[in-house]
Amino acid sequence: MSTETIAAAKKEVERKGFLDIPINPSLDLFAEIERLKKEKNAVLLAHYYQEADIQDVADYIGDSLGLAQQAEKTKADMIVFAGVHFMAETAKILNPTKKVVIPDFKAGCSLSDSCPPPLFKRFKEQHPDHVVVSYINCSAGIKALSDVIVTSSNAKIIVESFPKDQKIIFAPDKNLGAYINKVTGRNMLLWNGACMVHEIFSLEQITKLKVRHPKAKLIAHPECEDPILRIADYIGSTTGLLKYTQTDSSEEYIVATETGILHQMEKASPHKKFIPAPPDNGCACNDCPHMKLNTLEKLYLCMEYETPEITMDEELRLAAKKPIERMLEISAKAGL
Ligand code: 13P
Ligand code: SF4
């Protein structure tokens, strides 16, 4: 391909979100990605919601906490983040000198978008006696306004690390916040945000499915709404859900989270049956449209041409780093 074609495509990355150039169809992308990893001393981190091909070529697949921990300790020169923007941004916050690339820069998050920093700053100013606990699914701007970051796997222990009478704002996920309020007996003030994927599950459809599969256990991510969580047999982060299916004795599960996780569940327990929890209107809305913007082709291109790249203002990075480091410290102490 001519250098002019590549230069023109690079100029378009900001508008399109990814490098839009044709790939030789005879290329073995799996082998190419492995070659690029070695040549560039790159590590490929992927979230469980990525398509199966991407998971299969990743060096590490995990939940948000696991991915942040891997990003913190990696010795690679380049971090390739197959996930959504806030995850790659977290990796950059922890690794200012490393190059962090993402297959599609437009892979955002409806939950993160539901909490714009200027609005949240005003909300925080209205409650000066509250500390701010933010779910990692938020922008660097929100992280910079937070005292500590949490993920779905450490939110309970981190909230419990504050004295019982400490007033707390929890942002941006009202469903995770309400769940943590319930399990800790706290009364955190919740920002009114939610994930478009986890809000779509239908209690009615799940109940009907349970009738048809009486032995199936319902396992749910805490981003789901309360009526779903109330009837769940197990609630946990993506890693928690996966581990549960590996250690629990049941043979069948209804899985109330994004469908990407089923790939690892099926690989780990091929004899078990995993049924995606149905959304309320028969759509494919339990596929996260942001996560699924990443493809093997875009992954290959972002590694080959090292773009789109995550960059960040240094003052913002330093402010956002503090609450992430606090989260990592508390998690390490708790053995997570
Ligand atoms: P975890 O993988 O940390 O459970 O988070 C789920 C999620 O929604 C990521 O966007
Ligand atoms: Fe955001 Fe929900 Fe997609 Fe996770 S599944 S990236 S919370 S929109």
Side-chain angles (χ1 to χ4, degrees), residues 9-21:
K10 280 191 172 177
K11 273 196 190 145
E12 288 285 279
V13 166
E14 209 172 309
R15 189 174 63 83
K16 291 193 171 174
F18 62 98
L19 196 64
D20 190 9
I21 50 179

Side-chain angles (χ1 to χ4, degrees), residues 205-216 252 278:
Q205 298 293 338
I206 291 176
T207 311
K208 280 186 190 160
L209 201 58
K210 275 173 84 81
V211 173
R212 275 189 277 134
H213 299 268
K215 287 189 179 155
E252 244 182 312

Side-chain angles (χ1 to χ4, degrees), residues 223-260:
E223 286 176 23
C224 293
E225 291 180 321
D226 181 61
I228 307 291
L229 297 181
R230 272 174 196 270
I231 60 161
D233 296 288
Y234 175 80
I235 299 165
S237 77
T238 48
T239 297
L241 297 173
L242 175 61
K243 282 190 181 154
Y244 182 77
T245 61
Q246 288 172 274
T247 51
D248 178 65
S249 59
S250 302
E251 295 288 309
E252 244 182 312
Y253 301 88
I254 299 168
V255 184
T257 191
E258 213 270 357
T259 55

Side-chain angles (χ1 to χ4, degrees), residues 108-123:
C109 168
S110 68
L111 179 52
S112 175
D113 291 347
S114 68
C115 195
L119 281 187
F120 186 70
K121 188 166 180 283
R122 243 179 291 153
F123 181 69

